[in-house]
Amino acid sequence: MKVLMFPNELDRLLIEHLADLDDGARRLELLQDRVADAIDHVVAVWTDDKNWLQGDETWRDSWDASVAQPNWRNEDGSWLAWFQLDFGVGDDGEWSEEKDYFWMTRLCREGRGQMGFRFAQGEFGKTQWKKYLQKNADRFAGTRFILDDEPSLFLPVKVDRDVLAKCAEEDDFSEALKPIVEALDHIQQLAPRFDEMRQEMLEQQAS
């Protein structure tokens, strides 16, 4: 049976267990670093295996794990389009009263937020791109992508908490991070559809 507590009772318990909570938060921060390293490794292995491009930044250092097709790179080396691991719409990853404290809570969808891969592009203006997405949202019906309120095409990813816990005990996160690999495979499968969208936008600009 669930025991209900008043806020002041919970506050008292938190204060009484400050040392344990502080140590737990510290350990979880270190654990996040290990999971982040594992995410960066998974992305690096996948891009190398699929001959895709990997961004210069890492999830561990800057919350930036990005991939792109080779033909999405401009002549000067800049990226025209890419997929980036990101937080749900309206979430910058920072803590607030309305947001989860740890990004790993979002990754496992154990709190209020979520994570996933977002399609980004630098070729077209935001207003123009927004209108195009809203008009062509049905193009991604039957896929795992959703058109969120940014608006952007977002592919949610959820890592199972219990599998992640078991992997932490075994010090090998490969099994827990399979949803990230599956998401990247889904991205590769649908990449031609994103090429078609970019081409249509280019033709609209030229007309």
Side-chain angles (χ1 to χ4, degrees):
M1 184 175 66
K2 188 174 182 180
V3 178
L4 297 178
M5 290 187 179
F6 292 107
N8 58 335
E9 292 179 306
L10 181 57
D11 289 343
R12 175 179 60 79
L13 286 173
L14 290 172
I15 293 172
E16 290 176 349
H17 294 86
L18 272 177
D20 292 334
L21 291 169
D22 195 83
D23 185 58
R26 184 184 301 109
R27 290 187 65 86
L28 192 48
E29 290 283 4
L30 294 173
L31 177 58
Q32 282 198 143
D33 286 344
R34 290 166 55 201
V35 175
D37 286 337
I39 290 173
D40 291 327
H41 177 72
V42 164
V43 172
V45 169
W46 187 89
T47 51
D48 184 62
D49 181 57
K50 304 297 183 180
N51 293 316
W52 275 46
L53 304 175
Q54 180 184 9
D56 294 330
E57 305 297 331
T58 64
W59 187 256
R60 164 76 180 270
D61 293 333
S62 54
W63 289 351
D64 187 355
S66 302
V67 302
Q69 287 196 128
N71 64 308
W72 292 354
R73 180 169 49 190
N74 212 344
E75 294 178 357
D76 62 3
S78 61
W79 287 12
L80 300 170
W82 61 94
F83 293 93
Q84 61 190 42
L85 187 61
D86 201 358
F87 304 107
V89 64
D91 187 355
D92 58 4
E94 300 296 338
W95 174 83
S96 73
E97 290 185 13
E98 296 79 27
K99 300 175 186 175
D100 301 318
Y101 189 89
F102 296 101
W103 63 256
M104 224 160 61
T105 308
R106 298 168 170 90
L107 183 64
C108 296
R109 221 174 296 175
E110 285 291 313
R112 302 177 181 181
Q114 64 176 331
M115 287 175 59
F117 283 95
R118 189 183 307 282
F119 180 69
Q121 58 82 31
E123 295 178 280
F124 316 109
K126 186 173 181 179
T127 300
Q128 183 185 17
W129 183 242
K130 175 181 179 179
K131 290 180 179 178
Y132 179 85
L133 286 179
Q134 291 172 335
K135 184 178 179 180
N136 293 274
D138 60 343
R139 181 169 291 188
F140 286 84
T143 76
R144 292 166 53 192
F145 278 94
I146 61 173
L147 180 64
D148 63 19
D149 292 335
E150 191 159 312
S152 64
L153 290 163
F154 184 73
L155 175 59
V157 174
K158 179 183 178 181
V159 167
D160 186 273
R161 180 200 63 188
D162 295 331
V163 177
L164 186 64
K166 186 174 184 295
C167 288
E169 187 176 24
E170 297 172 351
D171 198 24
D172 180 359
F173 294 103
S174 56
E175 183 68 23
L177 297 184
K178 280 185 176 180
I180 290 181
V181 177
E182 292 168 357
L184 291 170
D185 287 341
H186 192 61
I187 285 170
Q188 184 187 33
Q189 180 185 8
L190 295 177
R193 207 171 301 191
F194 287 90
D195 279 325
E196 292 172 4
M197 292 169 57
R198 292 177 54 242
Q199 185 59 38
E200 286 180 6
M201 285 288 288
L202 290 171
E203 292 173 356
Q204 287 181 21
Q205 282 188 332
S207 61

